[in-house]
Amino acid sequence: MAKISYVKWEPVNSVHVDLLDEQHRKLFDIVNDLIDECEMGSPRLLPVIHDLVNYLAIHFHDEHLVMLKSKYPDFQKHSQEHRRFINKVEEFLKSYQQGDVDLAMKMILYMKEWIFNHTTKLDIQYANHLLKIAETQNNSDKNP
């Protein structure tokens, strides 16, 4: 079996909110732990998946607050992506807990790809929205 590559957070993926950037780095760390646990055939796989799901609930909540406060126009669409991901992970967990152990690799690859793509593409869209707001505020502060 080929080694699953790790995900790495890069500064270019910053959403310009320290709390959310820190959470994204931690999500990447948890995904990398998940990869390790899966490749070792560890019995800790399920607890790490639960850690990831629990951490995502906190992260999604914090991210939603930032988007709502900034009046992010695509909030509903973004929030639906979060919900779809949670539903898919719940489906995976149900199948895994029912004994479909071959599903572990597929589940981890899905979660890794989704988290990476979501944070480096979709989240950057609201980051750009936040930057525009900051620029507008800076320009209005300079031109009283």
Side-chain angles (χ1 to χ4, degrees):
M1 171 174 65
K3 172 107 174 86
I4 303 171
S5 61
Y6 289 130
V7 288
K8 184 174 186 244
W9 187 89
E10 300 284 348
V12 70
N13 300 323
S14 173
V15 295
H16 315 292
V17 176
D18 291 342
L19 171 67
L20 298 181
D21 284 342
E22 182 58 37
Q23 288 176 345
H24 286 159
R25 285 190 288 273
K26 181 157 174 69
L27 284 170
F28 279 35
D29 289 344
I30 296 171
V31 166
N32 291 335
D33 287 346
L34 211 51
I35 291 167
D36 288 342
E37 297 298 330
C38 181
E39 290 183 342
M40 292 185 301
S42 169
R44 282 205 13 83
L45 186 61
L46 206 51
V48 175
I49 291 169
H50 283 293
D51 289 348
L52 177 62
V53 170
N54 291 336
Y55 195 74
L56 277 168
I58 294 165
H59 171 66
F60 288 165
H61 173 77
D62 291 344
E63 202 171 68
H64 288 177
L65 291 176
V66 168
M67 286 188 268
L68 287 170
K69 183 177 178 190
S70 72
K71 296 179 175 52
Y72 179 55
D74 285 335
F75 170 74
Q76 289 298 331
K77 183 175 145 192
H78 198 105
S79 181
Q80 286 171 350
E81 284 298 315
H82 289 171
R83 173 62 23 219
R84 273 195 279 280
F85 177 75
I86 293 294
N87 290 342
K88 184 71 170 174
V89 171
E90 287 172 352
E91 286 174 27
F92 276 135
L93 284 172
K94 187 182 284 184
S95 295
Y96 184 76
Q97 289 170 328
Q98 291 171 347
D100 188 353
V101 291
D102 294 334
L103 191 62
M105 181 65 71
K106 192 165 122 178
M107 177 173 54
I108 288 164
L109 289 173
Y110 171 81
M111 291 191 305
K112 172 195 163 191
E113 291 301 314
W114 190 93
I115 289 170
F116 181 79
N117 288 327
H118 186 83
T119 56
T120 61
K121 293 181 176 111
L122 269 184
D123 285 354
I124 295 305
Q125 292 174 8
Y126 79 75
N128 291 335
H129 171 75
L130 295 174
L131 282 177
K132 284 179 191 167
I133 290 171
E135 287 172 13
T136 302
Q137 288 173 343
N138 285 340
N139 288 338
S140 67
D141 290 346
K142 291 176 186 173
N143 302 318

